[in-house]
Amino acid sequence: MEDQQGRPAGLRERTRRAVQAEIVAAAMRLFLERGFEATSMDQIAIEVGMSRRSLFRYFGTKEDIVLGDHAAHGQVLRAALEERPAHESPWQALRAALVKLLRSLPYDSEDFLKITGMLHASPALRARRGEKQQQWTELLVPDIAARLGDADDPRSRLRAHALVACAVACSDVALEAWVGSGGAVGVEDAFDEAVAAVRGRSV
């Protein structure tokens, strides 16, 4: 386990992360059983056996509990993107990175379907998720700009920003289609359809 600079995390930080993981696991169980809006921070505190005040030392809101991993997901995406061959097109590289993130998530299909449905159904969660995904965009732009020619060129960065934002939006559309179909529509197929529509091509 490492800190944000890649150094081994200290004991205090490892302990904090372990407690956070326990809180997230307990909260997600409650959210899936009772619904996000119907679950309170007090109920989560009781579930993990701590005071409400102690809980707020780890998470300020319910939204933070659900979306806390999204910042880490951005780092996973960036690493996955940087692993792609340099000759690969931006769209191919972004698709591969998004697929790798999707397949790395620690949920079975049924739970992930419920969690994604919860994310899309709650206006508060959708708004906060959008903020996190903006951070993803900033992390991915340098690699895509380099694939377009020059990472320091303002025009390359502009085009890269548009491509990344579009790919992230297409992933959201694909997940929404997957949830709306009850899992019948494949996420990757839906993503390809969305990208093809944006690019004016058939899949």
Side-chain angles (χ1 to χ4, degrees):
M1 190 175 291
E2 299 178 337
D3 63 15
Q4 292 181 349
Q5 285 73 45
R7 299 178 304 233
L11 177 59
R12 179 177 297 179
E13 180 60 21
R14 294 199 301 272
T15 301
R16 179 178 178 81
R17 291 183 188 180
V19 174
Q20 286 176 323
E22 182 181 350
I23 293 169
V24 169
M28 293 305 294
R29 286 196 302 271
L30 292 177
F31 293 149
L32 293 177
E33 290 170 4
R34 307 176 184 182
F36 178 76
E37 303 296 344
T39 303
S40 68
M41 291 291 274
D42 286 332
Q43 290 169 331
I44 296 168
I46 292 170
E47 185 74 8
V48 295
M50 65 172 55
S51 69
R52 190 171 188 270
R53 182 176 180 180
S54 295
L55 177 60
F56 276 102
R57 292 175 185 164
Y58 294 94
F59 295 100
T61 66
K62 292 190 297 181
E63 290 80 10
D64 289 337
I65 295 175
V66 176
L67 298 172
D69 283 346
H70 269 58
H73 292 169
Q75 299 294 339
V76 172
L77 271 175
R78 180 169 67 177
L81 186 61
E82 290 174 349
E83 290 171 0
R84 303 305 304 172
H87 68 269
E88 203 166 47
S89 73
W91 283 113
Q92 290 175 316
L94 284 166
R95 183 191 190 280
L98 287 163
V99 168
K100 184 168 184 177
L101 171 63
L102 185 65
R103 293 178 178 176
S104 73
L105 299 177
Y107 304 110
D108 61 32
S109 294
E110 184 177 349
D111 280 350
F112 187 50
L113 186 65
K114 292 176 182 177
I115 291 167
T116 307
M118 180 177 68
L119 288 171
H120 283 269
S122 167
L125 285 174
R126 286 180 74 106
R128 292 296 295 276
R129 187 165 180 251
E131 294 173 9
K132 301 288 185 181
Q133 288 178 336
Q134 179 60 37
Q135 296 172 10
W136 291 6
T137 299
E138 299 299 330
L139 289 171
L140 303 181
V141 162
D143 181 278
I144 298 302
R147 291 174 190 274
L148 293 172
D150 184 355
D152 295 322
D153 178 51
R155 289 174 61 86
S156 290
R157 291 189 66 84
L158 184 152
R159 293 166 60 207
H161 201 117
L163 283 169
V164 173
C166 188
V168 172
C170 286
S171 72
D172 265 352
V173 169
L175 286 169
E176 194 156 1
W178 178 60
V179 170
S181 71
V185 173
V187 178
E188 292 176 36
D189 289 341
F191 177 80
D192 290 338
E193 289 277 2
V195 170
V198 168
R199 302 182 71 189
R201 301 179 180 179
S202 20
V203 177

